[in-house]
Amino acid sequence: MDIRVEKAAPDLLKAKPDENSLGFGKHMTDHMFVMLYDEHLGWHDAAIKPYGNFSLDPAAMVLHYGQEIFEGLKAYHGKDDRIYLFRPTDNLQRMNISAARMCMPEIPVDVVYDALKKLITLDKGWIPKVDGATLYIRPTMVASEAGLGVRPAKQYIFFIINCPVGAYYPEGFNPVKIFVTDKYVRAVAGGVGNVKTGGNYAASIMAAVEAQKQGYTQVLWLDAIERRYIEEVGTMNIFFLIGDELITPPLTGSILPGITRDSVLRLTKDWGLKVSEKRISIGDVLSANEKGTLREVFGTGTAAVISPVGEINYKGQICTINNGKTGELAQKLFDELQAIQNGYTKDPYGWVVEV
Ligand code: COI
């Protein structure tokens, strides 16, 4: 499939934001990629064009029943002005797993990967150069067919937008405080918790707002049946270092199979750590803390990278981790991942590709 390229007129190029105060997801670059789907035509009309609004019928099915999926990956400014992507085809393949679950058409990974590289090259002036800042890439698919019957749509829009970002959390790489909710649940096996669809995030907002009112940055979700077993943090997967064992909940169908999660499992196993994907309850965490064996807690995600957790609140019981400081392992993982992603260290895994 041909990809049409329509560049933004020079006088319409936007001013770039200050790289030292980017925040997350506030500034979009000059261009985007858009591709349309129709059940008869398949994917067609692929174009890189100036960033701009869509025109959607008010009856577009995504607006009513939420047939939407997305991904998150990043482009990095590396040594000698090179540009790198981290595990890009893993994200695109994961998107196709989400598409299958949401009865949406699969994307042609080769075409999209090619478009992504062209788009990043065109907007490469937007990739931040300051340490820790990156270009966040958001591939998205929405159901665009107009209709109010509940069924899979026959038309879709796939698009990629990009924005320069700093740290996801206001705390930066400093430890965040998380609130364990047993009032709300995020997902249940058989549902869509393992799929990157907007509805999972919409459903999480109320718990997050309540946690924020109490001074917590994020919510830690428990399983929906017993409300005991730890699942994820909603914007990241979670790891616990207890004694000498690094533990993360297994992929049982209700949590997101994170690509950073997978990278951390790989790195830590190769470093010789004892690593387990196994069920861990909030009780296990609290009792490890009482015994003094809970050494570190950290989250992993594309947006969050490695995010140390300094405090957990469960029903008013406060668990302070590593005196609220960043742990050694979280720091080592953060440094190693950043070095791999920016091309400063050898990547033995074939995760990084140069654009
Ligand atoms: C990501 O880490 O890329 C995510 O998709 C989390 C996001 C909801 C900020």
Side-chain angles (χ1 to χ4, degrees), residues 24 70-73 136 138 168 196 201 234-236 301-304:
F24 188 89
F70 70 94
E71 273 300 323
L73 65 156
Y136 186 76
R138 174 53 63 85
Y168 183 73
K196 228 163 159 52
Y201 298 82
T235 51
M236 54 188 192
T302 299

Side-chain angles (χ1 to χ4, degrees), residues 96-132:
N96 275 343
I97 296 172
S98 299
R101 176 62 181 86
M102 300 296 286
C103 294
M104 298 167 84
E106 289 198 352
I107 51 166
V109 169
D110 294 356
V111 175
V112 172
Y113 185 35
D114 187 35
L116 173 62
K117 287 192 283 190
K118 289 193 169 106
L119 178 64
I120 297 298
T121 307
L122 185 59
D123 276 348
K124 72 171 182 226
W126 284 86
I127 306 175
K129 294 188 174 69
V130 303
D131 205 26

Side-chain angles (χ1 to χ4, degrees), residues 152-173:
K154 294 176 180 157
Q155 289 163 347
Y156 295 86
I157 304 175
F158 171 85
F159 58 92
I160 305 177
I161 54 173
N162 302 316
C163 56
V165 297
Y168 183 73
Y169 299 120
E171 289 88 341
F173 180 60

Side-chain angles (χ1 to χ4, degrees), residues 44-276:
H44 63 284
D45 224 352
I48 289 173
K49 49 169 91 169
Y51 186 91
N53 293 348
F54 291 130
S55 163
L56 268 187
D57 191 298
M61 288 163 86
V62 63
L63 302 177
H64 301 273
Y65 308 123
Q67 240 193 323
E68 185 266 3
I69 54 173
F70 70 94
E71 273 300 323
L73 65 156
K74 283 175 171 171
Y76 306 82
H77 180 267
K79 241 190 2 206
D80 308 324
D81 261 350
R82 289 168 202 252
I83 304 163
Y84 297 106
L85 294 169
F86 185 69
R87 307 186 68 174
T89 48
D90 289 345
N91 281 93
L92 299 180
Q93 272 148 10
R94 187 174 67 177
M95 189 162 201
N96 275 343
I97 296 172
S98 299
R101 176 62 181 86
M102 300 296 286
C103 294
M104 298 167 84
E106 289 198 352
I107 51 166
V109 169
D110 294 356
V111 175
V112 172
Y113 185 35
D114 187 35
L116 173 62
K117 287 192 283 190
K118 289 193 169 106
L119 178 64
I120 297 298
T121 307
L122 185 59
D123 276 348
K124 72 171 182 226
W126 284 86
I127 306 175
K129 294 188 174 69
V130 303
D131 205 26
T134 53
L135 188 76
Y136 186 76
I137 302 165
R138 174 53 63 85
T140 309
M141 193 199 303
V142 297
S144 53
E145 184 194 344
L148 297 184
V150 181
R151 58 164 172 79
K154 294 176 180 157
Q155 289 163 347
Y156 295 86
I157 304 175
F158 171 85
F159 58 92
I160 305 177
I161 54 173
N162 302 316
C163 56
V165 297
Y168 183 73
Y169 299 120
E171 289 88 341
F173 180 60
N174 299 313
V176 293
K177 289 163 63 174
I178 56 179
F179 187 85
V180 186
T181 180
D182 61 353
K183 180 172 167 196
Y184 304 105
V185 295
R186 178 183 171 275
V188 67
V192 292
N194 56 346
V195 164
K196 228 163 159 52
T197 183
N200 284 332
Y201 298 82
S204 75
I205 291 173
M206 182 171 240
V209 168
E210 289 183 11
Q212 274 151 19
K213 279 193 193 136
Q214 298 186 62
Y216 289 84
T217 316
Q218 281 284 310
V219 171
L220 180 62
W221 299 99
L222 301 178
D223 77 278
I225 296 169
E226 295 184 52
R227 303 209 181 176
R228 275 184 341 122
Y229 294 102
I230 287 168
E231 298 249 301
E232 63 166 65
V233 181
T235 51
M236 54 188 192
N237 295 112
I238 188 104
F239 285 76
F240 300 87
L241 182 63
I242 299 182
D244 290 326
E245 186 180 13
L246 183 64
I247 304 169
T248 195
L251 302 177
T252 46
S254 54
I255 68 171
L256 198 81
I259 287 163
T260 314
R261 172 189 183 278
D262 182 70
S263 309
V264 163
L265 286 173
R266 187 70 198 269
L267 282 170
T268 49
K269 280 179 193 162
D270 285 1
W271 291 344
L273 259 76
K274 181 175 175 211
V275 184
S276 308

